[in-house]
Every structure is written in C-alpha cells, then in structure tokens.
Amino acid sequence: MDKLNRDIKEYYQQDFLGLDLSQQQIEEVIFENCTFTECNFSDVMVKSCKFIDCRFIKSNLSNMKILASRFADVCFQESKVIGINWAKAVWPNYSLTTSIKFQQCIINDSSFFGLTLQEMEIQGCKAHDVDFREGDFAYANFTDSDFSYSQFMRTNLDGVDFSNATNYQIDVTLNRVKGAKFSRFEALELLTSLGIELVD
C-alpha cells in the first residue's frame, strides 16, 4: 500500500511500501502490527496517533513532529530518524517489553530527555548529539553505536551494554553506571571525569 485513506482511522497488519507523507499531518490514526518500508515521514506532524508493534525499514522520519502520540513495541531498521523530540510522545508508566528499538539507524540530534525507556535498543546506530539527560535507560542495549557529542547527565545507565560503542563522554560522578558493560579501550574515557592521568 502506498497511500493512506484519510477516512480510515485504524490500520491492522498492513504493509506500506513507498508511502510519502512528508510535510503532512496524520491525526488520530492507529497503526497496529504494520510495516513501513522505504516510506517518507520527513517533517510530518503525528498528532494523537498510536503505533503498536510496528516496523519501519529503510524509511526517512527526519524531523518528524510528535504530539500526544504513543509508540509501543516499535522497531526502526536502517532508517533516518533524525531530529525527533521523543519526549513529546506518550509513554506508559510501566512496560514489560521494550517500547522502542533502533537498529542500524541514524538518530542524530534527537532527544530522550527525562524519559524512562528501560531496555530500549540503540544498536549499530549513529547517535550524534542525542540528549539522554535525566533519563532512565537501565539495561538498554547500546552496542556498536557512535555517541559522539551526546549528553548524559543524571542518567540511569545501570546495566546498559555499551559493548563496541564509541565516542561516549559519560561522567561517572553524575550518572549511574552500576553493572554497565564497556569495551576495555573505550572505558578509559570514563576515567577522565575522575581527574585520573594514565601513564604507560
């Protein structure tokens, strides 16, 4: 399916291919168990919508505006998910499953400020200038991702897996990192916040 019918407010188990909604507004639409492949959501306004158990594959969601919309068990794969303020979405207070996954995506310039998204996935991603301040991401999977210039402050990173992740700057005196996993070489950067000088 490459079009949305404006009269339909619920889509279930639909496969969208090449759907172009750039610079449009989607309001009060429910997508459940849908797949979006090579779709364009750039600069779209998503208002009071629900995305439940959906997948976005090789799609462009750059600068998508979110207002009072819910994302539950959503996975983004090989997609551009740039410049999105996820704090504007509606998140459950408690969830038994991972609410959101990013796999081999570009999520630069996005914000997760103040969110509780435990066990989320940012795997194999480019995550430059992303705001994780004040958030709770305990036991998340942040493996193989590049966190250049991303912000961590008063962030719960307990149990987070940073294996093979690079370029993160995490002050261990201002963030929780108990049980977190770091690659040995990159972990040396954590010592800079303690004022420790390493010598050979």
Side-chain angles (χ1 to χ4, degrees):
M1 180 180 293
D2 60 0
K3 292 182 180 179
L4 282 186
N5 185 329
R6 297 295 178 177
D7 296 324
I8 297 177
K9 290 299 183 180
E10 292 189 24
Y11 291 91
Y12 180 69
Q13 291 186 335
Q14 291 287 332
D15 292 328
F16 296 93
L17 176 62
L19 179 67
D20 188 354
L21 296 173
S22 59
Q23 299 183 335
Q24 297 183 37
Q25 178 167 308
I26 312 169
E27 187 170 356
E28 297 181 348
V29 181
I30 299 173
F31 300 93
E32 185 171 357
N33 199 17
C34 294
T35 300
F36 301 88
T37 304
E38 297 180 353
C39 295
N40 187 359
F41 281 77
S42 61
D43 295 292
V44 71
M45 166 64 80
V46 178
K47 183 177 180 182
S48 302
C49 293
K50 293 181 181 179
F51 293 86
I52 304 166
D53 195 22
C54 292
R55 287 197 305 158
F56 293 82
I57 303 169
K58 296 182 179 179
S59 294
N60 182 5
L61 299 95
S62 298
N63 301 311
M64 181 174 70
K65 311 295 189 299
I66 300 172
L67 183 61
S69 293
R70 183 181 296 273
F71 295 81
D73 302 317
V74 175
C75 182
F76 301 90
Q77 298 173 313
E78 299 180 70
S79 295
K80 291 177 66 177
V81 198
I82 298 171
I84 296 176
N85 185 355
W86 293 101
K88 297 290 187 180
V90 177
W91 302 98
N93 292 328
Y94 181 75
S95 177
L96 294 174
T97 57
T98 303
S99 292
I100 192 166
K101 299 178 182 179
F102 301 93
Q103 299 169 343
Q104 291 81 50
C105 292
I106 303 173
I107 64 169
N108 298 348
D109 302 303
S110 295
S111 177
F112 298 92
F113 180 87
L115 294 179
T116 297
L117 292 172
Q118 294 189 357
E119 300 185 14
M120 75 178 295
E121 287 188 20
I122 298 178
Q123 188 174 19
C125 294
K126 184 180 288 186
H128 296 184
D129 293 290
V130 177
D131 191 351
F132 295 99
R133 292 175 300 161
E134 309 279 352
D136 182 354
F137 309 103
Y139 306 102
N141 180 353
F142 285 178
T143 57
D144 301 296
S145 294
D146 180 355
F147 291 96
S148 297
Y149 308 109
S150 287
Q151 300 177 71
F152 299 90
M153 183 176 291
R154 292 184 290 277
T155 306
N156 183 3
L157 301 169
D158 287 349
V160 173
D161 190 350
F162 280 96
S163 299
N164 298 317
T166 58
N167 299 317
Y168 43 79
Q169 295 180 336
I170 300 171
D171 188 332
V172 296
T173 66
L174 297 175
N175 297 279
R176 294 173 52 178
V177 294
K178 183 178 180 180
K181 297 178 183 178
F182 300 93
S183 296
R184 195 175 304 275
F185 178 75
E186 288 290 330
L188 296 177
E189 289 297 319
L190 302 177
L191 299 178
T192 60
S193 61
L194 299 176
I196 293 176
E197 180 180 354
L198 298 176
V199 295
D200 294 329

